[in-house]
């Protein structure tokens, strides 16, 4: 097994360029690194950035058509504003309480009381009806309430039906349960590098060019109406399906286009549940990933990784 020379370094300095950034959406480029780092960042965003979610529900009264367990499960999946989650303690690590919800360091208490009194109308109980003891932690619907928006539906009540409960929200991560994941979607793709063989393309008729362009399932190429040349209009729409390459070969024009993935350049798309902003999700994930790397570095200083390296060299 070939080993790097003593003192050799593979240190790289990744660069990030933000393309689009909104409260719940971000698109950015990650360059000068490899797929292992890109995937590590993706997995941390999905499974290890903490949020706050309802974890314990005490039903005081429930005469609705839904069982207690069903309602508790629905409550757990309601996204809560979690900007303060990074500073909170995990309830299992908190030495200031027993995790019953009365602790300012690890828990937030919610109450809900609803009763239907109108015989002619169904009462919709939603996330807007949850009352939090901490104004910083509330259902995302309450934080973004506008107009007639009623929030996430919990249960519908008919006349005489009632729902009263107490709920405890705690800090957690998506690795433990999906309700704590702040990410709705986190994807990345290799940035495609597309080169058209202009000389070979000029041997095609306009109809052949049109047929070749239309062979792509996504609109990657188009024909300039003035010059009638094929141009790349959206390289990132390419899905690595090889359809245009197969079409070129079927036309007897292999090498008409060359498409390669840039192995050190990735395009990320991030959507959040609203618990935290897309910017917070990205920055918190970078912080957590850095902490993990620091922990590995400390292990190396203690000699643990040195023994592994010696074993590999000996093998």
């Amino acid at each position: 097994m070939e080993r790097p020379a003593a003192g050799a370094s593979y240190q790289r300095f990744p660069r990030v360029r933000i393309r689009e950034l909104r409260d719940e959406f971000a698109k950015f480029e990650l360059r000068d690194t490899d797929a292992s780092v890109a995937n590590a960042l993706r997995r941390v965003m999905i499974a290890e950035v903490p949020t706050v979610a309802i974890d314990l529900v005490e039903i005081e009264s429930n005469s609705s058509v839904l069982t207690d367990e069903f309602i508790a499960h629905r409550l757990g999946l309601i996204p809560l504003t979690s900007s303060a989650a990074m500073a909170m303690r995990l309830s299992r690590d908190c030495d200031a309480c027993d995790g019953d919800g009365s602790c300012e360091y690890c828990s937030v208490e919610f109450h809900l009381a609803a009763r239907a009194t109108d015989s002619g109308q169904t009462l919709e109980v939603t996330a807007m009806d949850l009352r939090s003891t901490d104004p910083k932690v509330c259902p995302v619907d309450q934080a973004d309430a506008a107009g007639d928006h009623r929030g996430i539906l919990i249960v519908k009540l008919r006349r005489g039906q009632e729902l009263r409960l107490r709920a405890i929200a705690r800090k957690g991560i998506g690795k433990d349960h999906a309700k704590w994941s702040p990410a709705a979607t986190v994807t990345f793709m290799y940035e495609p590098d597309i080169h058209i063989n202009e000389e070979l393309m000029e041997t095609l008729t306009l109809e052949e060019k049109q047929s070749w362009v239309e062979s792509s399932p996504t609109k990657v190429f188009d024909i300039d109406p003035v010059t009638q040349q094929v141009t790349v209009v959206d390289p990132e729409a390419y899905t690595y399906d090889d359809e245009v390459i197969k079409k070129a070969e079927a036309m007897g024009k292999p090498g008409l286009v060359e498409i390669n993935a840039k192995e050190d350049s990735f395009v990320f798309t991030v959507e959040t549940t609203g618990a935290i902003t897309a910017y917070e999700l990205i920055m918190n994930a970078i912080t957590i990933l850095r902490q993990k790397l620091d922990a590995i570095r400390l292990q190396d200083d203690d000699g643990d990784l040195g023994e592994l390296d010696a074993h590999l060299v000996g093998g």
Side-chain angles (χ1 to χ4, degrees):
M1 178 178 179
E2 187 176 345
R3 305 294 298 167
S9 173
Y10 294 113
Q11 186 174 11
R12 306 179 76 177
F13 299 93
R15 294 181 295 120
V16 174
R17 185 175 78 86
I18 303 293
R19 290 189 181 179
E20 186 178 352
L21 183 62
R22 301 194 300 270
D23 281 349
E24 297 178 9
F25 178 85
K27 192 169 188 176
F28 66 93
E29 300 170 5
L30 178 65
R31 297 179 180 274
D32 298 337
T33 188
D34 57 34
S36 64
V37 174
N39 196 46
L41 181 61
R42 171 185 167 273
R43 290 174 67 93
V44 169
M45 281 194 274
I46 292 173
E48 300 199 47
V49 172
T51 64
V52 179
I54 290 175
D55 193 41
L56 174 66
V57 179
E58 297 177 356
I59 303 289
E60 298 173 14
S61 175
N62 175 25
S63 55
S64 73
V65 296
L66 299 184
T67 63
D68 294 353
E69 293 82 2
F70 201 108
I71 290 173
H73 183 262
R74 291 179 70 86
L75 289 169
L77 294 176
I78 294 173
L80 307 177
T81 52
S82 303
S83 295
M86 287 286 282
M88 291 177 64
R89 300 174 185 173
L90 291 168
S91 59
R92 60 176 176 266
D93 299 330
C94 184
D95 55 5
C97 72
D98 57 4
D100 64 352
S102 58
C103 176
E104 61 180 304
Y105 301 107
C106 71
S107 306
V108 178
E109 189 169 332
F110 287 83
H111 293 272
L112 187 151
R115 183 181 180 84
T117 56
D118 190 340
S119 60
Q121 191 172 4
T122 299
L123 176 65
E124 293 186 350
V125 182
T126 72
M128 302 288 281
D129 297 307
L130 284 168
R131 297 291 172 258
S132 172
T133 57
D134 185 346
K136 297 192 298 294
V137 180
C138 65
V140 170
D141 291 329
Q142 290 183 10
D144 299 334
D148 296 330
H149 182 57
R150 279 288 296 150
I152 297 172
L153 182 66
I154 299 172
V155 67
K156 292 183 179 181
L157 302 178
R158 297 293 289 178
R159 183 182 180 183
Q161 292 181 339
E162 178 183 32
L163 178 62
R164 284 187 290 111
L165 58 86
R166 171 179 176 263
I168 306 301
R170 296 169 176 153
K171 174 181 176 178
I173 58 175
K175 184 185 289 186
D176 295 331
H177 194 287
K179 67 184 178 184
W180 278 300
S181 177
T185 300
V186 181
T187 63
F188 72 84
M189 63 172 286
Y190 287 99
E191 186 176 358
D193 189 17
I194 303 176
H195 296 284
I196 296 174
N197 187 325
E198 298 293 350
E199 292 184 4
L200 203 54
M201 185 64 73
E202 286 306 312
T203 65
L204 301 181
T205 65
L206 181 59
E207 290 75 16
E208 288 175 325
K209 290 179 181 178
Q210 189 66 44
S211 176
W212 182 80
V213 167
E214 292 174 354
S215 69
S216 175
T218 52
K219 192 172 177 59
V220 180
F221 307 94
D222 202 358
I223 297 177
D224 189 301
V226 178
T227 63
Q228 295 187 348
Q229 290 185 331
V230 176
T231 59
V232 180
V233 292
D234 188 2
E236 287 168 25
Y238 185 65
T239 57
Y240 295 96
D241 48 66
D242 290 343
E243 289 299 322
V244 290
I245 296 175
K246 294 174 184 175
K247 179 66 174 179
E249 292 173 351
M251 297 169 66
K253 304 289 183 180
L256 185 63
V257 65
E258 184 179 346
I259 304 176
N260 298 303
K262 297 180 181 178
E263 295 188 357
D264 64 347
S265 184
F266 310 89
V267 179
F268 274 78
T269 301
V270 178
E271 295 180 43
T272 77
T273 62
I276 56 178
T277 65
Y279 177 79
E280 289 173 323
L281 175 56
I282 296 167
M283 296 307 295
N284 290 350
I286 292 173
T287 298
I288 292 168
L289 187 56
R290 184 178 295 159
Q291 290 170 352
K292 288 177 174 290
L293 294 173
D294 287 342
I296 293 173
R297 188 179 294 113
L298 287 173
Q299 288 181 358
D300 192 21
D301 291 342
D302 292 339
D304 294 345
L305 297 184
E307 295 177 7
L308 174 63
D309 187 67
H311 174 72
L312 291 174
V313 172

